[in-house]
Amino acid sequence: MTTDPLIRRAVAGDADAVATLADLAPTSRDPAVLVAAALSDPDWPALLDRARAVAVDRPDRQLVAVAAAALSGDLDRARLLAREHLAEHPDTLLVAFLAAGPDQEDPR
């Protein structure tokens, strides 16, 4: 199952998609699913720890780093890391969403 459409719906504010990601997170080994679920989970550090553990390639590790910076409130660092990531992977919606910062609509 590809999770890209689900993540796109969650980023757009679809509550059902956010709930589905939360349901998938406990057993997922997909860093993007874990990062997306972390956006609406108060225990986001644990989800990011799991995402970091399963991130095997550079783009996934960059995604986790951007998420960690954004969710911890270091938006300047998140944007800097996101620019680097998006230069090579411009279609990564989740990284662009995280870099947008607090002006974005909360997916919760």
Side-chain angles (χ1 to χ4, degrees), residues 70-88:
L71 291 173
S72 66
D74 191 349
L75 192 54
D76 289 338
R77 179 166 173 72
R79 287 182 175 147
L80 177 67
L81 294 170
R83 271 194 298 272
E84 181 180 319
H85 176 85
L86 292 169
E88 294 180 31

Side-chain angles (χ1 to χ4, degrees), residues 52 73 104:
R52 193 174 293 110
Q104 67 207 5

Side-chain angles (χ1 to χ4, degrees), residues 20-38:
T20 300
L21 286 166
D23 289 343
L24 291 173
T27 58
S28 181
R29 296 191 48 79
D30 180 343
V33 167
L34 294 167
V35 167

Side-chain angles (χ1 to χ4, degrees), residues 7-86:
I7 291 170
R8 287 181 185 280
R9 288 182 26 232
V11 166
D14 181 327
D16 290 335
V18 171
T20 300
L21 286 166
D23 289 343
L24 291 173
T27 58
S28 181
R29 296 191 48 79
D30 180 343
V33 167
L34 294 167
V35 167
L39 296 176
S40 61
D41 192 314
D43 193 25
W44 61 264
L47 286 172
L48 290 188
D49 285 345
R50 287 192 43 232
R52 193 174 293 110
V54 298
V56 295
D57 60 17
R58 185 170 184 242
D60 286 344
R61 289 189 303 269
Q62 287 175 324
L63 168 63
V64 176
V66 172
L71 291 173
S72 66
D74 191 349
L75 192 54
D76 289 338
R77 179 166 173 72
R79 287 182 175 147
L80 177 67
L81 294 170
R83 271 194 298 272
E84 181 180 319
H85 176 85
L86 292 169

